[in-house]
Amino acid sequence: MPDKQLALVTGASTGIGLELAKCAAGSGFDLIIAADEAAIESAAAELRTLGGSVQALQADLATTEGVDKLCAAVGSRPVDALLANAGIGLGKAFLDQDFQRIRRLVDTNITGTLYLIHRVGKEMLQRNSGRVLITGSIAGFTPGSFQAVYNASKAFLDSFSFALREELRDSAVTVTCLMPGATETEFFRRADMMDTKVGTEKKDDAHEVAKAGFDAMMSGESDVVTGMKNKLQTTIANVTPNEVLAKQHRKMAEPGTAKS
Ligand code: NAP
């Protein structure tokens, strides 16, 4: 049995997930990383230069088969840290969106994430050891007009993360929610949001966001919101009516609001 700890990172081919995987590799974890597309192999090659073993897996984590494939790759080796990060966005008005894409978002962000945490979490609880980091979002604080299903999916994950943490409070398994604000990654391009203000304005650095999340997970904190602007935004959101928040979100996410 290898003596290094094992971290499982989903959505590690790009963006926040790749940076989380770098943090884990830099802290001495062996890695199993997963994403849907073949780019996971080049991410693995980059991560191997940081030391430790890195196993890459191409799996569609929107499906139970994909999650089963990932769990099969882990085998009987204990997972010390599960970084459930894979996720997608979807811009435009709800009724203009393609329902297959809506469903895929829910399957990826919610169902696949829950199934993976259910499988790995059970094993962590049996061993009474493990850390779970869930990538939620500050989007979960705001009804996301023109990104409605995405924000709702992140509200789900933010809420779920705190609830699971409480259920596990008498165990040594910790659950931490990373709640990034808008971050510079592939996310907005893939979500068809390059014609929006939020898609085109300056965003947070993915490495800094991931480092804050990784550090919070390692110290067993409940959650982390990075940066003063995002902290202020969440504090204000907590005391603002949802109707007002939905109006404000339109200004950020409605097509045609892009900075020229
Ligand atoms: P990103 O660069 O697009 O990365 C998304 C990652 O998730 C990729 O590795 C992608 O791999 C993977 N993924 C997506 N669907 C998958 C599937 N069905 N099966 C397996 N892997 C899948 O975007 P990101 O910004 O780093 O997003 C990472 C997480 O941060 C997401 O949960 C997102 O909601 C959250 N977040 C992002 C922001 C932001 O502003 N960027 C803010 C708050 C929260 P493939 O390319 O192979 O599909």
Side-chain angles (χ1 to χ4, degrees), residues 10-17 34-38 59-62 85-88 104 108-109 135-138 150 154 179-188 190 203:
T10 70
S13 58
T14 55
I16 296 169
D36 190 27
E37 293 173 17
D60 182 0
L61 300 176
N85 165 81
I88 53 172
R104 185 156 178 83
T108 307
N109 296 8
T135 306
S137 174
I138 67 165
Y150 174 74
K154 290 293 160 170
M179 296 189 274
T183 306
E184 202 58 65
T185 69
E186 294 295 307
F187 178 87
F188 291 96
R190 288 177 173 168
K203 293 187 252 308

Side-chain angles (χ1 to χ4, degrees), residues 2 9 11 66 100 121 123 180 190 202 216 224:
V9 189
Q100 291 314 315
E123 182 269 332
R190 288 177 173 168
K202 188 174 171 346
V224 59

Side-chain angles (χ1 to χ4, degrees), residues 137-243:
S137 174
I138 67 165
F141 289 74
T142 299
S145 31
F146 299 93
Q147 203 183 8
V149 181
Y150 174 74
N151 282 38
S153 77
K154 290 293 160 170
F156 184 109
L157 286 183
D158 292 351
S159 165
F160 169 75
S161 181
F162 283 97
L164 180 62
R165 178 183 175 84
E166 176 60 24
E167 290 181 27
L168 294 173
R169 74 170 188 197
D170 295 331
S171 78
V173 179
T174 60
V175 182
T176 303
C177 190
L178 168 60
M179 296 189 274
T183 306
E184 202 58 65
T185 69
E186 294 295 307
F187 178 87
F188 291 96
R189 188 184 54 76
R190 288 177 173 168
D192 285 343
M193 293 185 70
M194 296 315 287
D195 55 354
T196 67
K197 182 168 184 291
V198 63
T200 47
E201 69 184 4
K202 188 174 171 346
K203 293 187 252 308
D204 296 337
D205 177 75
H207 174 71
E208 283 173 21
V209 170
K211 182 162 183 344
F214 184 80
D215 290 348
M217 177 191 77
M218 292 307 285
S219 0
E221 286 163 37
S222 59
D223 61 296
V224 59
V225 175
T226 53
M228 218 41 225
K229 190 177 156 226
N230 296 328
K231 286 192 172 88
L232 195 64
Q233 209 171 307
T234 54
T235 306
I236 293 170
N238 275 329
V239 294
T240 306
N242 277 335
E243 200 175 354

Side-chain angles (χ1 to χ4, degrees), residues 2 5-13 17 20-22 24-25 29-35 40 43-44 47-48 52-59 61 66-67 69-85 116 120:
Q5 294 209 325
L6 177 67
L8 181 55
V9 189
T10 70
S13 58
L20 284 170
K22 284 182 194 168
F29 282 89
D30 281 342
L31 289 173
I32 297 182
I33 58 169
I40 196 66
L47 289 162
R48 282 187 195 108
S53 89
V54 182
Q55 184 182 346
L57 188 86
Q58 203 179 334
L61 300 176
V67 174
K69 187 174 162 190
L70 178 55
C71 292
V74 173
S76 59
R77 189 167 171 192
V79 176
D80 300 286
L82 168 62
L83 296 85
N85 165 81
L116 179 62
V120 177

